[in-house]
Amino acid sequence: MSNPRPWHRLWRFFQAGTLARTAAAAAIVLGGTLTAGATASTGVAQAAAQGPCDIYASGGTPCVAAHSTTRALYGSYNGPLYQVRRASDNATANIGVLSAGGYADAAAQDSFCAGTSCVITVIYDQSGKGNNLTQAPGGGAAGGPDNLANATAAPVTVGGHKAYGVYIAPGTGYRDDNTSGIATGDQPEGMYAVLDGTHYNGGCCFDYGNAETSNNDTGNGHMEAIYFG
């Protein structure tokens, strides 16, 4: 295929090339990555010697997109994991890690969202490529933008620390149509995601991966993604 493919609208469905609203439910609990080439906690999280993306890089297949709201995917990563927006005043805040290479600072989110509700507005790409995920726009099968995930709907405990995954209810989706370093055509790539196996339904479909940059149906065979449903 000739079209470059960005990170797929997390969590939209693919049918005959169409990117449309999902009818499925799923939750990303630890994160997802794309490779190229072949907790309110009072303690301080210990930085990992290696994260998943360090391991991929050592094998010659570095991450070109790395998304997680629960932990750093590199042992040295010390930036923001995601951004939340609260309903009371539409203010936003970046949620980072407790320490480099460590787990999410869930207490920062709890404090910022206290007394109101929050949605996840950005899931930052930790790879340095800038492939951040934001609200999926409307397309040929979806007249308006997708919904944003409730920031507190997927609480998890990771390494003894409270964190929040991404709870995907029907109609929720994120996308990046202007990517950097993502595989196109038949270039080799790999995908990895950790999902909540108890959160699903019989609809179609939940996808996390790589699709065309057009939000409209441009034909079959324009997506490579992990499907869960």
Side-chain angles (χ1 to χ4, degrees):
M1 69 178 216
S2 60
N3 288 348
R5 299 166 309 196
W7 275 93
H8 178 52
R9 217 173 268 206
L10 278 180
W11 322 313
R12 287 201 163 195
F13 78 76
F14 181 73
Q15 180 180 10
T18 301
L19 298 175
R21 291 190 186 279
T22 182
I28 298 286
V29 295
L30 290 181
T33 65
L34 185 66
T35 60
T39 359
S41 172
T42 56
V44 176
Q46 295 299 313
Q50 280 193 319
C53 286
D54 297 312
I55 296 171
Y56 281 127
S58 68
T61 55
C63 293
V64 292
H67 306 111
S68 176
T69 60
T70 63
R71 58 169 291 188
L73 297 173
Y74 296 84
S76 61
Y77 187 77
N78 198 29
L81 300 179
Y82 61 103
Q83 182 188 87
V84 294
R85 184 180 70 220
R86 62 189 179 197
S88 59
D89 59 1
N90 285 325
T92 60
N94 286 336
I95 307 301
V97 292
L98 292 169
S99 61
Y103 303 106
D105 186 359
Q109 175 182 313
D110 290 340
S111 176
F112 181 75
C113 299
T116 186
S117 61
C118 279
V119 292
I120 297 172
T121 48
V122 183
I123 304 172
Y124 290 108
D125 173 20
Q126 300 177 33
S127 76
K129 297 288 187 179
N131 295 317
N132 302 328
L133 296 174
T134 56
Q135 186 173 27
D146 279 0
N147 300 323
L148 295 169
N150 183 322
T152 60
V156 295
T157 301
V158 187
H161 296 270
K162 180 181 179 181
Y164 293 102
V166 184
Y167 188 93
I168 305 303
T172 304
Y174 295 81
R175 188 178 176 101
D176 184 351
D177 283 338
N178 185 20
T179 59
S180 173
I182 302 297
T184 61
D186 290 325
Q187 293 175 346
E189 63 183 319
M191 298 173 192
Y192 165 88
V194 180
L195 308 174
D196 177 358
T198 67
H199 180 50
Y200 63 94
N201 66 19
C204 180
C205 306
F206 171 93
D207 302 301
Y208 178 73
N210 197 2
E212 69 256 62
T213 55
S214 169
N215 295 310
N216 297 310
D217 184 356
T218 59
N220 292 338
H222 285 181
M223 188 176 88
E224 296 173 352
I226 296 170
Y227 164 73
F228 182 79

